[in-house]
Amino acid sequence: KFLKEPVAIEVDFCNNQILVANKVTGTITFHASFPTASDKRFPFGTLFNVIGHKQSFLKSTQFLGIQDVKVNSKGDIIVSSNHKITILDGKDHSTIKSFGKKGQDQWRFNYPSGICVDRWDNIFVCDFYNNAVKIFDRDGKQVSLFGSQRKDESSFSGPISVAVN
């Protein structure tokens, strides 16, 4: 029911779960990862929560056009959807911070797609139609960007994925 056009998967080692972002339903589903010695409630892969849907076990938070989901070192969930980035508490899934607006200005988003988080919890965002990768700190403050709409060696054409080592 909720797994329609999954677009991203993330293993959350902090909270021992697997997250799947579903574009069509605008949801994030939570599945049991490997059980710990103290918590064997759910066998591997069992769906145990859904957020972003009216039938959510916790609350309704719609993620229109969800593109990616990642988990930072604290277990917080970072979501790329609807021309913004949303940071959710990893335990109760409440919104910690949301930032971004649609536009073509340097720090606005025009279809943010792939995201990743580095070891300092900086957030890297591929901005598809603005042809750039934008970097924000863990609080959503602008740090740097690269790429542009120029047509030279430093430009991108619709970046969709980013990774850091």
Side-chain angles (χ1 to χ4, degrees), residues 12-165:
D12 176 359
F13 294 103
C14 295
N15 298 305
N16 204 28
Q17 58 193 2
I18 300 168
L19 289 67
V20 180
N22 301 280
K23 187 173 184 177
V24 170
T25 59
T27 60
I28 299 171
T29 56
F30 294 80
H31 303 265
S33 186
F34 297 100
T36 62
S38 61
D39 184 6
K40 296 188 188 273
R41 295 175 294 164
F42 304 107
F44 179 76
T46 302
L47 173 68
F48 65 87
N49 199 2
V50 179
I51 60 172
H53 189 269
K54 291 178 182 171
Q55 306 300 320
S56 172
F57 298 122
L58 292 179
K59 61 181 171 179
S60 178
T61 310
Q62 190 68 25
F63 298 111
L64 299 172
I66 191 168
Q67 291 296 312
D68 206 351
V69 62
K70 294 293 184 249
V71 176
N72 68 16
S73 67
K74 299 187 311 185
D76 295 331
I77 302 164
I78 295 100
V79 181
S80 167
S81 68
N82 199 25
H83 305 293
K84 67 183 175 188
I85 302 300
T86 304
I87 304 171
L88 305 170
D89 183 275
K91 299 285 186 200
D92 67 8
H93 308 140
S94 61
T95 301
I96 296 172
K97 178 110 178 154
S98 184
F99 59 92
K101 292 183 179 177
K102 184 176 182 178
Q104 294 180 339
D105 295 343
Q106 187 174 17
W107 289 105
R108 293 191 178 233
F109 294 123
N110 195 358
Y111 197 71
S113 51
I115 55 178
C116 74
V117 181
D118 68 13
R119 65 179 152 201
W120 299 282
D121 290 336
N122 292 312
I123 303 164
F124 292 68
V125 182
C126 291
D127 192 350
F128 188 83
Y129 287 115
N130 285 334
N131 299 310
V133 174
K134 299 174 181 182
I135 306 168
F136 301 85
D137 70 12
R138 72 181 75 198
D139 299 316
K141 294 187 179 118
Q142 305 156 351
V143 174
S144 184
L145 68 89
F146 52 98
S148 69
Q149 293 183 337
R150 296 186 315 254
K151 301 293 182 206
D152 61 24
E153 303 84 38
S154 68
S155 66
F156 296 114
S157 179
I160 59 170
S161 183
V162 62
V164 294
N165 185 355

